[in-house]
Each structure stands twice: as structure tokens, then as C-alpha cells.
Amino acid sequence: MPDGCLPLVLRQVEWRRYQFDLFLIGANFLLRIPGHRFRRAVLRHIAGCEIGARCAFERGVRISARGGVKLGNHCNVNHGVLLDGGGGLVIGSLVN
């Protein structure tokens, strides 16, 4: 491998790490904004979560990974909950 390639590869890996950190900071900031519909849209479209019908998310819900979270119908996720979909997280219907 040429001498100049290694630093470039390391910079790309470092940038990807920063991108993921920025994603988490941005998504968790948006999840603190009022409005259940807005937070549901953030989780569905930005965080890649699968969410059933009539789920409610209180302000202060946090995520630690993109995707991997599946929620059933009629769920309520309270303030301070960390949804960690890194290894996959499935929550059934009618869960509070």
C-alpha cells in the first residue's frame, strides 16, 4: 500500500464516526421537540424505526442506533426511555 493511502483511509473512517455522532445528536435533539406526530415522523423517517398505529412518544425519548426498533400498535414510550436498536428491539402491541 502506498504511504499516502493509509492516512486517507483513517480520515474516512474517522469522518464516518463523526457522521454517526452528528446523526445521533441531531435525532435526539429533534425527539425533544413537542408533538407526538413530529416525534413519530422523526423515528420513522430519520431513525428508520418501524412503528405501529397510534403510538405515542413523550419528549425526551432517545435513540442510540439507526433502525433495529420495531413497535406494535397502541404503545406509549415515556420520557427518558433509550431505544437501543443496535442488536434489534421488538416491543409488542398495547405496551406502556
Side-chain angles (χ1 to χ4, degrees), residues 15-74:
W15 175 242
R16 284 183 185 235
R17 215 177 302 155
Y18 289 131
Q19 281 180 323
F20 183 70
D21 290 345
L22 289 173
F23 160 75
L24 285 179
I25 290 168
N28 287 320
F29 173 77
L30 291 174
L31 289 172
R32 296 186 68 83
I33 295 175
H36 293 290
R37 284 185 183 175
F38 178 75
R39 287 189 294 274
R40 200 168 43 230
V42 167
L43 286 169
R44 269 195 187 128
H45 301 293
I46 295 176
C49 300
E50 294 181 31
I51 301 170
R54 308 218 16 111
C55 287
F57 298 91
E58 302 297 327
R59 285 171 43 182
V61 171
R62 295 176 296 141
I63 61 169
S64 64
R66 179 177 277 165
V69 177
K70 296 180 184 179
L71 283 94
N73 298 327
H74 304 280

Side-chain angles (χ1 to χ4, degrees), residues 71-86:
L71 283 94
N73 298 327
H74 304 280
C75 290
N76 185 26
V77 182
N78 292 315
H79 174 79
V81 172
L82 173 66
L83 298 174
D84 184 6

